[in-house]
Amino acid sequence: MISVKTYTLFTDHDVYLFKEGRHYKLFEKFGAHSVEKDGIHGVYFSVWAPHAKKVSVIGNFNNWNHKDHILYPRWDESGIWEGFIAGLTWGTLYKYAIETAYGEILEKSDPYALSWEQNIQAASLVSTTWYEWEDREWLQNRWKKNSLDAPVSVYELHLGSWVREGDAPETFLNYRDVAKKIVPYIKEMGFTHVEFMPVMEYPYDPSWGYQITGFYAATSRFGSPQDLMHLINELHKNDIGVILDWVPSHFPGDANGLHRFDGSFLYEHEDPRKGFHPDWKSHIFNYGRNEVKSFLISNAMFWLERYHADGLRVDAVTSMLHLDYSRNEGEWEPNIYGGNVNLEAKAFLQEFNTAVYKEFGNNIITIAEESSDFPKLTKPIHEGGVGFGMKWMMGWMHDTLDYFKEDPIHRKYHHHKLTFASMYMYNENYMMPLSHDEVVHGKASLIYKMVGDEWQKFANLRALYVYMYTHPGAKLLFMGDEFGQTNEWNFTRSLDWHLLQYPVHKGVQTLVKDLNHIYRYEPAFYENQYNPDGFEWVEANDENNSIYVYLRKGKKKDDAFMVVLNLTPRVLDYKIGVNAASHWEVFFSSDDERYKGSGIKPEILKEEYGQWMGHSKSITLKLPPLAGIILKQKKDKKYKLQRIKLHKR
């Protein structure tokens, strides 16, 4: 009796597109699919292993015997092996036993598997992504939420350590249990989106998910594919977008993973100068290989289509684009023009962005985590750009945190670390991150990056958040930072939620909640966030007082806010230039008692006509210590009418 029967899901056109690097739905063809042949139910398997002498399916159904279920190589030199095995069902454990050209037998998990085991064996499971979604309304309207002129405030979250049960701290919560807790919390806090650190299957917990082996599998640490879909579905039903971290930059060398998949360097470069990452001890994808491009772009499509993700934050883009990234002289090979740009990686990213935006339009966002000044990352490809929707503003993050580490006495010497971002903030569509990377490996939590005693640390953190939320650009805040987590982030345990019993921590959380509300519901803070018309410096050079004053302006002429940052512990009466026709009122203060500040009320002490800061009028504002103040422009219709009448006369 033949144990494997011939069967295929591939058409000639599928194979042509795969070999050309332009098949973007490979998950519909490769992997393990429940099908019916000649009235018999079973599973169709297909895998790419062009240098293999033989490929068989091994599993719990044949006692892991590599001699019983041998797949058939296709006749078209595609390198695809396939076949149908009757009687197998969902939940079957399997791997591919691949005999290399040198006679070695490699046991590999399925690169396209939808589920993996959580053990040393880490076998693949025959699984499905079938799910009854209930988020149609969200999908129809999400383009409004993901638009560049919409407020985008992201809560970055690691599923394994956001929260754990007190009586079982070593146990992960299921995706569904997380949904019960995270949905009301995100709604209460006012974030528009949640960003999950990688949810794809990974073998090593300390990698936080960034060393992926199962690119198409939702990690089974937290449940099934349907459990993750339930979590995303519940977020969408509550008007919350979902961004997934995506890692097309590298993969680990685990024996059952992609490394030397068929005995050759199939997915990675053979040349270690291009194919091995010296920092992460991982392997870099060969972006010049068409079949690898199809694998990766199909993977992006998979998470956007099957899991209804609203965006992908692409990890480690800098390492992808630079041939000399983390390499010394002589350890890298220049491109054909003698430069350090990885032209194949750039072309891949351009093709990726072209493909996903063509498929999903402005319903989704692609975001580059990129720390260099690589040009035009968020510009259209027809203009020579790379085509991302947004880019993390890493320079802003580093300069800002460096500034807030300084003692206020010395801040005047570092004043322009906070103004420098305005020199380039419209070069790209920036997202402003305070991310997980800044609160690990001895870098200290955000609250302990702040200088001074306890009161000053919390005052500085509150002022930093005012600066962040009122600066042009989308926002991203890592979990725990919203309430002043004191310990560095530890992926093995829950956040320190007990800190919320202390008023200063509760005050920070309340402040972030209010800032999210202001950002979301005051158009001046978001609708021009990528337009130079939305920002204007009033005072950028008062280093002696460490004062910053700027305007945020909406599309309506009278929709304007003034932000004043006093980054010293002194109370000051400060004179600010304003337009003659404008009237202002205090709208917000980070020093308010509501946030456990000192409670010193900022007040407009007087208004005067006369030149000041280049304006024909001034106001004198009482400034609380280490505080961010927001003033709102009054809409005085009577005053406007009087001015119009005078003008007509």
Side-chain angles (χ1 to χ4, degrees):
M1 180 178 178
I2 299 175
S3 57
V4 177
K5 296 184 178 180
T6 58
Y7 192 91
T8 189
L9 290 178
F10 284 90
T11 65
D12 290 344
H13 189 58
D14 286 326
V15 173
Y16 169 77
L17 290 176
F18 174 53
K19 293 168 71 173
E20 288 291 308
R22 293 187 288 111
H23 198 307
Y24 303 146
K25 297 290 183 75
L26 289 178
F27 50 89
E28 297 176 348
K29 308 294 178 175
F30 278 118
H33 298 267
S34 180
V35 298
E36 183 177 309
K37 177 178 173 61
D38 301 329
I40 301 173
H41 290 281
V43 174
Y44 163 75
F45 295 93
S46 59
V47 63
W48 180 52
H51 301 103
K53 287 175 62 176
K54 185 174 67 176
V55 177
S56 59
V57 183
I58 59 176
N60 58 355
F61 60 94
N62 66 4
N63 202 30
W64 305 95
N65 186 338
H66 65 84
K67 297 179 180 179
D68 288 349
H69 294 83
I70 300 171
L71 298 178
Y72 298 97
R74 285 183 63 89
W75 60 91
D76 49 21
E77 298 184 351
S78 62
I80 298 171
W81 297 72
E82 60 186 352
F84 171 84
I85 302 176
L88 301 188
T89 59
W90 291 341
T92 299
L93 295 173
Y94 72 99
K95 283 186 176 182
Y96 295 116
I98 299 175
E99 183 177 342
T100 73
Y102 304 101
E104 182 183 7
I105 302 295
L106 304 177
E107 294 188 359
K108 294 290 187 177
S109 298
D110 188 349
Y112 292 86
L114 304 177
S115 296
W116 287 40
E117 277 188 307
Q118 276 298 310
N119 55 28
I120 295 176
Q121 174 80 8
S124 303
L125 282 80
V126 177
S127 189
T128 177
T129 53
W130 180 88
Y131 181 76
E132 289 192 35
W133 289 90
E134 300 172 332
D135 62 348
R136 178 176 293 181
E137 184 177 351
W138 167 265
L139 295 181
Q140 289 175 341
N141 296 294
R142 63 178 174 169
W143 63 271
K144 301 175 185 176
K145 308 293 185 179
N146 295 331
S147 168
L148 289 176
D149 57 3
V152 176
S153 177
V154 181
Y155 187 60
E156 186 188 23
L157 185 146
H158 178 257
L159 279 163
S161 58
W162 180 66
V163 68
R164 296 190 184 184
E165 295 295 354
D167 56 352
E170 303 302 317
T171 305
F172 295 123
L173 293 184
N174 182 277
Y175 293 112
R176 293 177 183 267
D177 296 323
V178 173
K180 294 174 184 176
K181 296 176 180 291
I182 194 64
V183 170
Y185 186 72
I186 294 290
K187 288 184 70 175
E188 178 190 359
M189 291 301 299
F191 291 98
T192 64
H193 294 68
V194 61
E195 178 181 317
F196 292 120
M197 292 167 66
V199 298
M200 302 79 185
E201 194 59 82
Y202 57 100
Y204 187 52
D205 282 298
S207 78
W208 313 333
Y210 291 101
Q211 296 265 2
I212 295 171
T213 47
F215 280 80
Y216 288 80
T219 177
S220 56
R221 284 169 176 78
F222 316 117
S224 69
Q226 288 68 31
D227 292 335
L228 174 56
M229 291 173 180
H230 172 82
L231 169 58
I232 295 172
N233 189 60
E234 291 302 303
L235 287 161
H236 282 173
K237 286 165 60 179
N238 286 275
D239 211 30
I240 300 165
V242 177
I243 298 167
L244 301 179
D245 275 10
W246 185 54
V247 190
S249 50
H250 64 121
F251 55 88
D254 290 59
N256 67 326
L258 296 180
H259 179 48
R260 293 187 67 248
F261 187 77
D262 62 357
S264 71
F265 294 93
L266 190 62
Y267 286 89
E268 68 272 48
H269 274 280
E270 182 174 3
D271 185 343
R273 293 175 297 177
K274 292 183 178 180
F276 185 74
H277 198 293
D279 285 349
W280 304 322
K281 311 303 180 189
S282 56
H283 302 275
I284 301 169
F285 282 103
N286 184 349
Y287 305 108
R289 189 159 199 167
N290 287 340
E291 295 90 344
V292 173
K293 286 196 298 182
S294 285
F295 171 82
L296 288 172
I297 296 176
S298 291
N299 188 242
M301 291 285 192
F302 173 80
W303 293 100
L304 294 169
E305 177 183 306
R306 294 288 177 89
Y307 282 85
H308 291 198
D310 303 295
L312 297 174
R313 176 266 198 187
V314 183
D315 183 65
V317 171
T318 309
S319 74
M320 297 172 67
L321 288 172
H322 295 88
L323 294 165
D324 59 346
Y325 182 85
S326 196
R327 298 178 189 273
N328 299 317
E329 187 175 350
E331 296 177 346
W332 61 282
E333 183 180 38
N335 62 31
I336 58 173
Y337 303 109
N340 70 339
V341 174
N342 187 329
L343 299 176
E344 293 174 344
K346 179 182 177 182
F348 160 72
L349 290 170
Q350 289 174 319
E351 189 171 345
F352 149 71
N353 279 307
T354 298
V356 297
Y357 277 111
K358 181 179 180 181
E359 181 76 11
F360 297 98
N362 291 327
N363 288 300
I364 57 99
I365 319 170
T366 64
I367 306 160
E369 188 246 340
E370 206 281 322
S371 58
S372 75
D373 58 354
F374 196 92
K376 297 186 176 181
L377 269 181
T378 61
K379 301 304 178 186
I381 292 164
H382 67 266
E383 296 179 7
V386 184
F388 280 99
M390 293 183 186
K391 171 187 173 176
W392 272 20
M393 200 176 192
M394 308 287 279
W396 169 88
M397 177 174 68
H398 294 140
D399 286 346
T400 298
L401 293 178
D402 284 347
Y403 178 89
F404 276 90
K405 292 174 185 176
E406 295 291 338
D407 189 292
I409 295 174
H410 304 301
R411 283 180 174 172
K412 61 183 177 182
Y413 304 114
H414 305 273
H415 186 78
H416 291 291
K417 283 190 174 181
L418 292 197
T419 64
F420 182 64
S422 64
M423 302 293 291
Y424 64 89
M425 63 186 175
Y426 296 114
N427 291 351
E428 304 280 3
N429 303 327
Y430 282 112
M431 175 177 285
M432 307 171 67
L434 290 173
S435 71
H436 66 273
D437 275 326
E438 299 309 307
V439 293
V440 290
H441 300 323
K443 296 179 183 178
S445 62
L446 280 193
I447 187 64
Y448 283 140
K449 292 181 192 292
M450 303 296 106
V451 74
D453 58 21
E454 183 183 75
W455 186 90
Q456 290 192 1
K457 287 182 187 298
F458 280 92
N460 272 302
L461 186 62
R462 293 192 300 267
L464 185 158
Y465 287 156
V466 174
Y467 171 52
M468 174 184 180
Y469 272 89
T470 59
H471 192 284
K475 325 297 177 190
L476 178 138
L477 194 61
F478 183 56
M479 64 181 197
D481 291 340
E482 79 277 14
F483 61 79
Q485 167 95 3
T486 51
N487 287 315
E488 283 191 340
W489 170 52
N490 184 337
F491 70 92
T492 67
R493 54 189 291 268
S494 172
L495 294 178
D496 294 330
W497 293 102
H498 66 275
L499 292 175
L500 287 170
Q501 67 184 300
Y502 302 108
V504 285
H505 291 277
K506 188 66 177 178
V508 171
Q509 186 191 52
T510 303
L511 174 119
V512 171
K513 186 189 310 182
D514 288 354
L515 287 173
N516 269 324
H517 184 89
I518 292 169
Y519 174 56
R520 290 183 66 170
Y521 297 107
E522 293 293 348
F525 288 110
Y526 65 80
E527 63 183 4
N528 276 330
Q529 60 190 350
Y530 300 113
N531 183 338
D533 293 339
F535 180 90
E536 178 186 335
W537 278 112
V538 177
E539 177 53 81
N541 298 308
D542 191 356
E543 61 266 20
N544 288 325
N545 288 306
S546 297
I547 300 287
Y548 303 83
V549 186
Y550 51 89
L551 299 177
R552 292 301 313 279
K553 296 178 285 186
K555 293 181 179 179
K556 295 181 180 177
K557 190 174 181 180
D558 57 355
D559 187 12
F561 289 82
M562 181 188 298
V563 181
V564 186
L565 304 176
N566 174 20
L567 300 182
T568 70
R570 297 178 297 161
V571 178
L572 295 175
D573 292 347
Y574 197 76
K575 191 174 180 180
I576 303 168
V578 298
N579 291 333
S582 64
H583 293 267
W584 299 88
E585 59 186 343
V586 175
F587 180 74
F588 174 92
S589 169
S590 67
D591 191 55
D592 195 284
E593 290 179 350
R594 172 177 169 82
Y595 313 122
K596 301 311 168 192
S598 69
I600 295 174
K601 291 186 178 181
E603 298 178 89
I604 297 176
L605 303 175
K606 58 183 175 180
E607 299 184 43
E608 299 176 289
Y609 284 93
Q611 288 293 319
W612 190 257
M613 294 182 178
H615 296 272
S616 56
K617 181 182 173 183
S618 66
I619 60 174
T620 299
L621 179 66
K622 184 177 183 179
L623 294 178
L626 291 172
I629 310 302
I630 303 176
L631 306 180
K632 185 173 185 177
Q633 185 170 290
K634 293 181 182 179
K635 299 176 181 179
D636 192 337
K637 294 181 180 180
K638 182 177 180 182
Y639 180 80
K640 287 182 180 179
L641 289 172
Q642 291 173 343
R643 292 289 294 173
I644 291 170
K645 289 178 181 178
L646 287 170
H647 180 70
K648 287 182 177 179
R649 288 177 187 172

